[in-house]
Amino acid sequence: EVAAAAAARPAKFATEILFMTLYALHIGTQRVAQQCDRVAKVVRDDTARRAVLDEQRSALSAHDDFGARNLDRAIAALDQQLDKARCHSLCFGVQLLDPVAVGDTLRLYAAVARWLVALLGDDEDDSRPRMAYAALPEYVLSDTAAYVRFVGEHAPRVLATHAAHVADVVAVWARLLV
């Protein structure tokens, strides 16, 4: 009866804004974070390749001009690629890892987490999902986990400054997994 009454009421403006914000984070921040992860992997891989090329270059004898020139060209090309990838990484980092933006995003995810815990209630025997929980888009929990992992990997100090919000997020994961 309560669920029917809730379904009959029109959605509140704040609810619409919440879900629009979660969707904007899903299609914007999460996709850019994935791209940033790919760029970070390119930087790691190319840096390792650069070290191998440096070892090969130092191992060449002084009389092998042809091999040295080829390696020098390969190193120069790799350096250009690395510079471009590092530039992209810095551009992503400025936008995604801004401490204020991270704090605001973690506060939002923490508020959603607290809301989910409140919806789940204290009744451990009630295994039926609540109707309000069913309204939450499927991607929100996975996005939250991906965002906390991303910030933890790329900016652990920023994440540490928001430990209380992270604790709220972890609490909902623990509650859902039990």
Side-chain angles (χ1 to χ4, degrees):
E1 185 177 312
V2 174
R9 287 186 301 217
K12 302 275 189 224
F13 179 72
T15 305
E16 291 176 18
I17 295 299
L18 170 68
F19 286 108
M20 286 172 41
T21 303
L22 291 171
Y23 186 67
L25 287 171
H26 176 67
I27 64 172
T29 304
Q30 291 300 326
R31 294 202 177 144
V32 174
Q34 291 170 355
Q35 180 67 22
C36 185
D37 281 339
R38 285 192 289 272
V39 169
K41 183 180 181 322
V42 166
V43 169
R44 282 191 307 269
D45 293 349
D46 285 354
T47 301
R49 242 183 349 158
R50 175 67 157 87
V52 169
L53 289 176
D54 283 341
E55 287 176 15
Q56 291 174 351
R57 177 68 172 98
S58 64
L60 283 177
S61 69
H63 305 306
D64 190 2
D65 289 339
F66 180 74
R69 277 183 293 189
N70 283 340
L71 275 175
D72 288 342
R73 277 193 294 267
I75 288 171
L78 187 58
D79 284 344
Q80 284 181 333
Q81 189 174 334
L82 259 169
D83 287 344
K84 185 177 178 181
R86 286 183 181 128
C87 181
H88 280 90
S89 182
L90 289 173
C91 290
F92 286 131
V94 165
Q95 297 170 13
L96 290 175
L97 300 172
D98 174 64
V100 174
V102 169
D104 290 345
T105 304
L106 286 173
R107 270 191 289 286
L108 174 68
Y109 283 141
V112 170
R114 287 189 302 273
W115 175 66
L116 287 173
V117 169
L119 285 177
L120 292 172
D122 294 330
D123 188 5
E124 297 290 333
D125 296 330
D126 189 9
S127 61
R128 294 173 289 129
R130 308 248 196 276
M131 289 306 295
Y133 177 75
L136 187 70
E138 295 175 5
Y139 55 79
V140 172
L141 289 176
S142 62
D143 283 0
T144 304
Y147 187 74
V148 170
R149 183 213 49 84
F150 174 79
V151 174
E153 181 178 323
H154 296 279
R157 289 184 191 151
V158 175
L159 190 65
T161 62
H162 300 286
H165 303 306
V166 175
D168 287 340
V169 169
V170 171
V172 77
W173 293 334
R175 181 67 195 272
L176 291 173
L177 293 175
V178 172

